[in-house]
Amino acid sequence: MCINRVPGRRKKRPPRIGRSRGGVSTKIHAVVDARGNPVRGLLTAGQVHDVTQAEPLLENLPIQQVVADKGYDSPQLIDGIHARHGQANIPARAGNHYPREFDAHEYQARNLVERFFNRIKHFRRIATRYEKLDVRYVAMLSIALALIWLA
């Protein structure tokens, strides 16, 4: 018999990041350098849109060129990159009424980000999200990022 528990009351669940019908979900947002090493990362709930985290990721970073996918197609983000004297190489979304030019050859550098996320998936604890608390998940993610830097 448990002394701490009041009969008939459920134990409170630990706080989780994102919750949907499919279960717990999270997104890892990351900035990588020209070698594919992580520079900065954020963790958000799975339902949060990617472009909302772009400004906090790029804040106080010296940028020359930003290569991102269509999820980051936002006039505010692109204007912010140009204001910092950087070049935005982001393709326009299909429904965009004002398509922009982008360099397809330089866009191939985005594979560094994809390869980085594939390296993260090698850490089983990160890929399957065993931790229930976001603080613990961020701690395990930090360890994985440090190990990637050391490799």
Side-chain angles (χ1 to χ4, degrees), residues 76-130:
Q76 292 85 10
L77 174 63
I78 293 169
D79 292 341
I81 292 169
H82 290 299
R84 294 174 59 188
H85 306 292
Q87 181 183 1
N89 198 2
I90 303 171
R93 284 180 282 177
N96 195 344
H97 297 292
Y98 305 104
R100 282 183 318 282
E101 295 288 327
F102 80 102
D103 189 1
H105 181 69
E106 289 186 11
Y107 185 70
Q108 291 176 355
R110 195 170 92 49
N111 76 49
L112 293 170
V113 178
E114 298 300 329
R115 290 191 312 203
F116 162 72
F117 280 112
N118 283 334
R119 278 188 273 166
I120 283 182
K121 290 178 185 178
H122 289 236
F123 296 92
R124 185 173 171 217
R125 197 166 187 152
I126 301 296
T128 55
R129 200 188 188 293
Y130 286 132

Side-chain angles (χ1 to χ4, degrees), residues 10-115:
R10 282 181 20 152
K11 256 175 104 173
K12 277 191 172 180
R13 283 187 162 179
R16 299 180 182 194
I17 299 265
R19 190 94 179 134
S20 67
R21 282 188 256 166
V24 179
S25 63
T26 57
K27 277 187 187 175
I28 300 170
H29 306 273
V31 175
V32 299
D33 62 5
R35 294 181 180 167
N37 293 325
V39 176
R40 186 175 289 168
L42 290 174
L43 187 72
T44 61
Q47 66 268 19
V48 176
H49 197 277
D50 294 341
V51 77
T52 60
Q53 302 304 313
E55 282 297 325
L57 282 173
L58 296 175
E59 186 177 330
N60 298 327
L61 284 178
I63 56 173
Q64 294 176 351
Q65 182 176 15
V66 176
V67 180
D69 63 353
K70 292 181 181 184
Y72 292 94
D73 179 25
S74 167
Q76 292 85 10
L77 174 63
I78 293 169
D79 292 341
I81 292 169
H82 290 299
R84 294 174 59 188
H85 306 292
Q87 181 183 1
N89 198 2
I90 303 171
R93 284 180 282 177
N96 195 344
H97 297 292
Y98 305 104
R100 282 183 318 282
E101 295 288 327
F102 80 102
D103 189 1
H105 181 69
E106 289 186 11
Y107 185 70
Q108 291 176 355
R110 195 170 92 49
N111 76 49
L112 293 170
V113 178
E114 298 300 329
R115 290 191 312 203

